[in-house]
Amino acid sequence: MRVAVTGASGFVGGAVCRALTSEGVTTFAYGRRPAVGASHLGGAVYRSWDLTHGPLADAPGVDAVVHCAGSATDWGPAAGLFAANLTGTRTALATFPGARFVHVSTASVYDPFRPSVMATEDEAPVGRYMNAYGASKAAAERAVPPARRDAIILRPHAVYGPGDTTLLPRVLSAVRGPVLPAVGTGRQRISLTSIGNLVQACLLAATGPVTSGVFNIADAAPVTIDDAFREILRERGVRARPVYVPASLARPLAAAAEGAFLLAGRPEPPRITRYAIGHLALERTLDITAARAVLGYDPHETTFTGAAGW
């Protein structure tokens, strides 16, 4: 097979490239960075390409595309997020019109204002979102033509593992001395997705017999927020413990902080946002029955073993 991977210079795209090349798949890697080390791509052919600038005129013929490119930040101008997530998806579709299209979306397309309790795929997208990230990713999903025979959408949640640039760094940066401040009670259940499990799903979608569908992708079973935090801190050797603030107190503080940051034009997010609270203080669990039954997805349990080396 011949497979193209967008966002190959990033965390997920790079891992997908390494897995494809290890399986002997001819892989074409694309990313915004001018160059990427060969070890990151597993030997895939790399080309710099900013999808917001339009389709490639000389794209190679491929059997499938794994579209990992996009912006994963929950803070920033709406125009930039829609350009990265919606325009980028449209560009990838236009560049490879005849290939199977595997779109790596997110569980943030589910309703952010209420708990997601073993959410099934038909519960999203919705008509309301808390920020431009969720709205732009939902718009990107809608841009994938429902009548397209070869299109698969994957919805992971909170991807972690070696090379993680979001989840683990955010948790560790929140530690203040002996305390990890958090929101909620710690008893909320959450579905996490290891990079190994997500890569498995991407390869099944790109190279397997199933050619269409929408699938939640997560670890084998949900965990509680407190258990996840404590294991991360233990594996990293951080002597701190989670301390929880009620969401009813945190939400107005987050709203005020967001307003102040927006007025000041600060590019970085506040330490706590309403979006983050929605993922810490409410249950966020995914039903992965469809992925198991249709894709043949066989995930392992959540574990942060070895996180000291990530």
Side-chain angles (χ1 to χ4, degrees):
M1 288 190 70
R2 293 161 60 89
V3 177
V5 179
T6 68
S9 55
F11 171 40
V12 175
V16 171
C17 284
R18 294 191 296 273
L20 285 168
T21 56
S22 71
E23 295 292 326
V25 176
T26 300
T27 306
F28 300 89
Y30 299 94
R32 282 181 294 180
R33 297 177 188 173
V36 178
S39 61
H40 180 77
L41 302 172
V45 177
Y46 182 77
R47 180 175 177 182
S48 180
W49 176 30
D50 186 334
L51 275 73
T52 64
H53 294 169
L56 288 177
D58 57 347
V62 295
D63 301 294
V65 180
V66 182
H67 179 50
C68 303
S71 176
T73 181
D74 61 307
W75 181 264
L81 284 162
F82 273 86
N85 295 330
L86 176 57
T87 303
T89 299
R90 288 173 172 165
T91 298
L93 284 162
T95 300
F96 302 100
R100 181 185 302 186
F101 194 80
V102 179
H103 177 55
V104 181
S105 184
T106 172
S108 289
V109 298
Y110 291 100
D111 192 336
F113 295 96
R114 63 179 182 86
S116 301
V117 181
M118 298 308 286
T120 56
E121 288 81 359
D122 59 352
E123 296 179 38
V126 296
R128 59 179 186 173
Y129 288 98
M130 194 173 292
N131 59 16
Y133 174 64
S136 64
K137 294 297 285 189
E141 281 199 13
R142 293 185 179 108
V144 180
R148 181 163 174 154
R149 183 175 58 84
D150 285 352
I152 295 176
I153 294 173
L154 305 178
R155 292 176 182 160
H157 183 247
V159 183
Y160 69 94
D164 174 13
T165 58
T166 303
L167 180 64
L168 193 65
R170 177 171 284 188
V171 170
L172 296 174
S173 69
V175 173
R176 295 291 177 270
V179 171
L180 169 62
V183 180
T185 65
R187 295 189 296 273
Q188 302 82 233
R189 296 198 314 154
I190 186 171
S191 289
L192 302 176
T193 311
S194 77
I195 187 64
N197 282 335
L198 178 53
V199 166
Q200 178 198 155
C202 287
L203 265 63
L204 287 168
T207 67
V210 177
T211 60
S212 63
V214 180
F215 303 98
N216 290 330
I217 302 299
D219 294 346
V223 296
T224 66
I225 285 280
D226 191 69
D227 286 344
F229 283 159
R230 289 180 185 277
E231 186 177 351
I232 289 171
L233 295 172
R234 184 169 53 251
E235 284 292 324
R236 294 289 299 216
V238 177
R239 295 182 177 276
R241 62 184 179 86
V243 174
Y244 296 92
V245 176
S248 59
L249 296 178
R251 285 193 183 96
L253 293 175
E258 288 179 28
F261 272 53
L262 287 171
L263 286 173
R266 296 177 64 171
E268 76 279 6
R271 287 182 178 171
I272 189 67
T273 63
R274 288 169 295 170
Y275 173 87
I277 291 171
H279 283 265
L280 291 171
L282 299 177
E283 178 166 337
R284 298 292 174 197
T285 55
L286 301 176
D287 186 328
I288 57 173
T289 301
R292 288 181 184 272
V294 180
L295 281 182
Y297 178 60
D298 184 21
H300 59 69
E301 300 281 348
T302 295
T303 177
F304 295 98
T305 301
W310 298 354

